[in-house]
Amino acid sequence: MRNISRLLPPALPLWSVLSPVLALAALLGLSNGSLDGAWTAPVSVLLMAAVLAAVHHAEVVAHRVGEPFGSLVLAVAVTVIEVALIVSLMLAGGESSNALARDTVFSALMIVCNGVVGLCLLLGGLRHKVLAFRVEATSPTLAVLVALATLTLVLPSFTTSTPGPTFSTAQLMFAGLVSLVLYGAFVFVQTVRHREYFLPIETEEGEQAAEHPSGGVAAWSVLLLLACLVGVVGLAKLLAPGIEAGVRAAGAPPSVVGVIVAALVLLPETVAAVRAALRKRLQTSLNLALGSGVASIGLTIPAVALLSLFFPYPLVLGLSNTSMVLFLLTVVVATLTLGSGRATVLQGAVHLVLFAVFCFLAVVP
């Protein structure tokens, strides 16, 4: 092992290479069978190792290409694989999974806007007291996120063309198109037109002095990052039946499974965002959190809209009244938090309380 480690560049430690390989091997070996209790603990360990490896490789890529491209790579990669997971579960679940896209997207939205943002503000604030970020980046991103969520998750509950919280086919196609347009505009502004708005505020001396990874190392990190994310999503899917059985045994609603699976899928972004906040680079944390929320809606809804053409039943997209109240409260609090350019542990505590309320109401609706 030591000889192999010496052959690898410093940016690619042995554990970061072995973790995705072992995760994919476990995924291939267990994909055709059920996951019994004896395998639950090893699969959970491999999942966590794949999460940590994904964060490491995302940071290597980010250091090579610079911000905000590094955050965008991780957010889009996670979201694309998340979309593939949702589509596969919907195809396998039939009509019983007609609300899966809504539940997963809304769970991801609440996780990133309250859970991830709150955790970053709390831990970063405890270490550095006051954290600075760029309002010119966070406010437009929040505007895109709110518009996407309202048009795709709130509006279906108020349209009259179809009964229930659903869109007609034409409305769903239009919502998918609008989502793609908004996401495309966001990516253009983030990476081209106003890229400087999304750059981190440099506060740590010597951070830029780290060794710049070569193009070859960055390319390997991209491949290993994708392998890690496939392993994370695949292993989370293997653990889902056991989680579902535990949820049923506890008497909780089925939507809790979606919350848990969404949390597992978002683990790489959560860890990366918290690590950035602890280094006093809150802008990178917000790029990851809010960017993943925008990507989750902007890529999931168009994919589901196309998929719905082959379904004989309507998709449930509209939120319940309780979820809409939580969403409205989250928007108000996030607007106040992200409108000043500075944050402390107090804002982090507020967001974490909202996240706790979301989790509690998911269990006790």
Side-chain angles (χ1 to χ4, degrees):
M1 286 291 185
R2 291 181 179 178
N3 292 333
I4 298 176
S5 299
R6 292 172 183 172
L7 296 176
L8 296 172
L12 296 178
L14 182 60
W15 69 268
S16 70
V17 177
L18 287 179
S19 295
V21 173
L22 293 176
L24 290 179
L27 185 60
L28 290 174
L30 298 171
S31 59
N32 295 326
S34 60
L35 187 66
D36 56 28
W39 283 99
T40 300
V43 168
S44 301
V45 171
L46 284 177
L47 187 145
M48 294 304 301
V51 166
L52 295 176
V55 173
H56 173 80
H57 293 301
E59 290 181 343
V60 172
V61 174
H63 193 53
R64 173 65 184 181
V65 301
E67 287 292 339
F69 294 102
S71 300
L72 185 65
V73 167
L74 182 57
V76 173
V78 168
T79 304
V80 168
I81 298 175
E82 180 186 357
V83 169
L85 177 61
I86 293 173
V87 170
S88 64
L89 291 176
M90 290 182 69
L91 290 174
E95 189 171 359
S96 62
S97 62
N98 61 351
L100 179 64
R102 178 200 64 185
D103 293 340
T104 305
V105 170
F106 183 64
S107 296
L109 184 66
M110 298 302 290
I111 288 170
V112 297
C113 289
N114 287 321
V116 179
V117 170
L119 196 60
C120 289
L121 293 180
L122 182 67
L123 297 180
L126 287 174
R127 173 172 289 188
H128 303 290
K129 293 188 178 181
V130 178
L131 298 168
F133 55 91
R134 302 181 190 274
V135 178
E136 57 269 32
T138 56
S139 292
T141 305
L142 184 62
V144 174
L145 184 58
V146 172
L148 281 171
T150 303
L151 292 174
T152 59
L153 299 178
V154 177
L155 200 57
S157 296
F158 296 94
T159 55
T160 58
S161 297
T162 56
T166 61
F167 273 148
S168 66
T169 301
Q171 290 170 337
L172 188 55
M173 293 301 109
F174 185 74
L177 179 62
V178 169
S179 299
L180 275 180
V181 170
L182 279 175
Y183 183 68
F186 167 73
V187 172
F188 173 72
V189 169
Q190 185 185 34
T191 59
V192 180
R193 189 71 174 182
H194 296 292
R195 177 174 175 259
E196 67 277 7
Y197 291 173
F198 297 85
L199 297 177
I201 299 175
E202 300 296 342
T203 56
E204 296 290 339
E205 294 184 3
E207 180 135 352
Q208 299 299 320
E211 182 181 353
H212 205 57
S214 65
V217 170
W220 275 109
S221 285
V222 170
L223 294 176
L224 291 170
L225 171 62
L226 294 177
C228 288
L229 296 177
V230 171
V232 168
V233 175
L235 295 178
K237 185 178 179 181
L238 284 177
L239 290 171
I243 295 172
E244 186 175 5
V247 168
R248 283 198 305 267
S255 59
V256 175
V257 178
V259 177
I260 297 174
V261 173
L264 289 175
V265 172
L266 289 171
L267 266 178
E269 288 172 306
T270 302
V271 175
V274 170
R275 289 178 63 174
L278 291 174
R279 294 199 300 266
K280 209 174 182 179
R281 295 169 68 88
L282 185 62
Q283 186 59 54
T284 299
S285 302
L286 296 177
N287 289 347
L288 281 165
L290 299 180
S292 64
V294 172
S296 180
I297 302 176
L299 297 178
T300 301
I301 298 302
V304 170
L306 288 176
L307 185 65
S308 68
L309 296 175
F310 305 96
F311 285 171
Y313 51 83
L315 297 177
V316 176
L317 288 178
L319 296 173
S320 65
N321 292 335
T322 302
S323 296
M324 280 190 274
V325 170
L326 280 176
F327 172 65
L328 177 61
L329 184 57
T330 297
V331 170
V332 173
V333 172
T335 301
L336 296 174
T337 297
L338 302 177
S340 65
R342 298 167 70 85
T344 64
V345 294
L346 179 59
Q347 287 101 321
V350 173
H351 280 278
L352 286 178
V353 166
L354 291 182
F355 181 63
V357 171
F358 163 70
C359 293
F360 178 77
L361 291 179
V363 178
V364 187

